[in-house]
Amino acid sequence: MTSTRRLLHAADLHLDSPLLGLSAYENAPAEDIRGATRRAFEAMVDLAIEEQVIAVLLAGDLFDGEWRDYSSGMFFVKGLRRLREADIPVFLLRGNHDAESHITRTLELPSNTRELSTARPESVHREDLGISVHGQGFAQRRVMENLAAAYPEAAGGMFNIGMLHTALDGAYGHDPYAPCTVSDLAGLGYQYWALGHVHSHKVVEREPHIVFPGNLQGRSVRETGPKGCVIVEITDTTVSSVRPVALDVVRWTRVKVPISGCRDRHDVCDRVGAALRNASEEAGERLMACRVELEADAATQSLAWRERDALDAEIRSLSGDFDQVWVEKVRPVTAEREVLAASLGSATGEALHAAATELMNDPARLREVLTDAGLTTGVLQVFRDGEVDLHDPGLGRRLLGEALDELLAHLHPTRTDGTDQRKAGL
Ligand SMILES: [Mn+2]
């Protein structure tokens, strides 16, 4: 007889994670964004019940850090209780954000919920469900040893699940906690590895399945695109499918708008309007938090930078025409970044960062350095042409900061995808 069963695997819930600097945004739908991690968790519980899963696996970073009060913990327990009412067991462990040493407040977990030990790998055998769950949580925030090395061999005749909060071999741009290799994991003979820590969904391996579900809800423009959990289908003792399900209630997105050929602000706004309409259609029920990136070429760079404040205001007011769209920021991006990167390619990111920090305090000197280097890229061109008044300290510094950001994004090894996830402390 063939039997098909389902599991729900999620990680990195970061319940009640604050959006840093949210108050600095004018007109931000603060309440929507602040409540997003909770709404996404509720949607996850609904999904588990709807899909009649046999277990829910939560692979660490359930909380963003120490709770300000008990309400984060109580909210979590409320969700676990709903799962208990539906007879669904929950297995969970702690990650770097909710390491045992880090969360001092404690909670009574409902009887359906099993937290795996932080002292040693723990195995729970559920003959009634045909599953064995193995895992160890984080005792401290910075776990640098290979936790998987001490995990037990697979239990015979069971569907074995390994749970672990890890960046694997660190190739994913996250803090290299609980480092291990794919072959360390594969060698244990488990049928499924429920990982956490990396915030984007990824099926790392299929034999056996090693999966990051990604976080449940993006927390900033660094975490764009659909976020949610995976539903794992098991036929007998084999994984027959891993299906990602989006649960995010606020979706972060970069709306890229090429502006080549635009003659003025009006042209730019026409193009942005069309792009925001698409975003709005994609949004469905959820709120789209949009970073608008104006992709300028040599002919339009100075328009994008010089008219920046006016464009920002016009695009924000334009976004009011679309339901469910909020413009987080409007940002010109320069098209010739490769040229820029190549001319400075010999410098290491670290050295550059130090130099940049120093130069930031001396805009006139920075301009000199960049001009001497013969850089012609976007914003720098504007400086050189004297279209930006560097004696206006606010504007000058902001533009310089962004020019350096661009530059670092392309030179610093941890920013290979244009984001700095290390700094984000995932
Ligand atoms: Mn995390």
Side-chain angles (χ1 to χ4, degrees):
M1 195 186 78
T2 316
S3 74
T4 298
R5 296 161 299 156
R6 284 179 294 279
L7 300 165
L8 186 152
H9 166 203
D12 300 281
L13 282 54
H14 289 267
L15 273 176
D16 290 342
S17 165
L19 171 62
L20 294 175
L22 182 65
S23 55
Y25 295 118
E26 225 175 294
N27 304 324
E31 283 312 310
D32 287 358
I33 294 176
R34 217 166 270 137
T37 54
R38 289 193 180 201
R39 300 291 85 77
F41 177 61
E42 285 174 331
M44 188 209 83
V45 171
D46 291 342
L47 179 71
I49 295 168
E50 220 173 276
E51 294 275 349
Q52 301 180 304
V53 299
I54 59 162
V56 168
L57 313 166
L58 304 175
D61 283 1
L62 315 179
F63 300 104
D64 198 55
E66 179 74 302
W67 320 324
R68 256 170 304 145
D69 53 46
Y70 272 87
S71 83
S72 303
M74 293 315 294
F75 184 83
F76 181 58
V77 165
K78 204 170 118 195
L80 299 175
R81 288 212 187 99
R82 281 176 60 213
L83 292 168
R84 184 176 65 183
E85 281 160 30
D87 257 335
I88 299 173
V90 179
F91 300 91
L92 59 86
L93 47 70
R94 292 167 187 257
N96 52 307
H97 274 265
D98 46 15
E100 194 151 53
S101 63
H102 197 60
I103 306 268
T104 55
R105 300 176 204 255
T106 55
L107 271 183
E108 183 102 17
L109 293 170
S111 56
N112 63 327
T113 303
R114 181 70 176 261
E115 182 190 333
L116 300 174
S117 171
T118 58
R120 65 193 67 80
E122 189 177 1
S123 299
V124 181
H125 304 287
R126 287 285 301 258
E127 273 86 6
D128 56 330
L129 302 173
I131 61 174
S132 289
V133 182
H134 315 276
Q136 178 177 355
F138 279 36
Q140 293 94 33
R141 232 185 135 109
R142 298 173 58 80
V143 170
M144 302 318 277
E145 74 259 30
N146 178 353
L147 295 180
Y151 278 35
E153 297 263 302
M158 303 288 265
F159 184 86
N160 289 265
I161 299 162
M163 293 180 67
L164 183 61
H165 198 75
T166 179
L168 288 179
D169 57 8
Y172 297 92
H174 288 62
D175 287 321
Y177 298 145
C180 59
T181 64
V182 165
S183 61
D184 289 341
L185 303 186
L188 288 161
Y190 301 173
Q191 283 74 29
Y192 186 83
W193 278 93
L195 304 187
H197 189 47
V198 170
H199 283 194
S200 39
H201 168 54
K202 189 166 177 59
V203 177
V204 177
E205 184 64 63
R206 289 181 190 279
E207 286 181 23
H209 274 83
I210 300 177
V211 177
F212 288 108
N215 53 344
L216 215 50
Q217 165 63 56
R219 300 172 306 158
S220 76
V221 75
R222 288 195 178 96
E223 299 178 346
T224 55
K227 299 287 177 186
C229 66
V230 296
I231 296 287
V232 183
E233 201 166 80
I234 310 165
T235 304
D236 295 327
T237 53
T238 320
V239 173
S240 41
S241 78
V242 175
R243 174 166 47 96
V245 180
L247 298 170
D248 46 354
V249 296
V250 176
R251 182 163 302 169
W252 295 90
T253 183
R254 289 174 191 269
V255 176
K256 297 177 191 292
V257 185
I259 62 162
S260 66
C262 287
R263 286 154 308 164
D264 52 23
R265 292 208 305 268
H266 183 78
D267 288 352
V268 173
C269 286
D270 276 355
R271 291 205 192 163
V272 173
L276 292 180
R277 176 169 296 112
N278 289 341
S280 157
E281 278 162 13
E282 190 197 325
E285 296 286 293
R286 62 175 68 80
L287 175 73
M288 295 295 268
C290 300
R291 165 78 57 97
V292 175
E293 295 185 340
L294 304 176
E295 297 183 324
D297 60 10
T300 50
Q301 273 160 3
S302 96
L303 165 67
W305 286 99
R306 210 180 43 224
E307 307 251 11
R308 203 181 161 194
D309 289 344
L311 278 168
D312 187 279
E314 282 174 26
I315 290 167
R316 277 176 201 284
S317 104
L318 189 67
S319 71
D321 295 349
F322 305 101
D323 286 343
Q324 305 296 95
V325 168
W326 170 60
V327 172
E328 177 251 4
K329 201 181 225 181
V330 177
R331 193 172 171 190
V333 293
T334 50
E336 296 171 47
R337 33 170 82 152
E338 292 77 14
V339 178
L340 182 61
S343 33
L344 290 167
S346 60
T348 69
E350 292 299 324
L352 192 64
H353 200 286
T357 309
E358 211 170 293
L359 284 171
M360 273 298 288
N361 296 320
D362 191 352
R365 171 78 187 128
L366 176 61
R367 183 181 163 191
E368 215 176 285
V369 168
L370 296 174
T371 309
D372 284 350
L375 298 173
T376 56
T377 293
V379 63
L380 308 175
Q381 178 81 54
V382 176
F383 291 146
R384 202 166 58 175
D385 295 349
E387 295 185 43
V388 171
D389 180 9
L390 287 175
H391 296 294
D392 171 356
L395 179 67
R397 281 178 68 91
R398 203 178 73 204
L399 293 177
L400 286 167
E402 299 212 2
L404 286 166
D405 244 23
E406 279 280 297
L407 207 142
L408 290 171
H410 288 84
L411 291 175
H412 198 285
T414 63
R415 293 193 179 197
T416 47
D417 63 353
T419 62
D420 190 350
Q421 298 189 311
R422 269 171 176 287
K423 201 191 260 168
L426 308 179

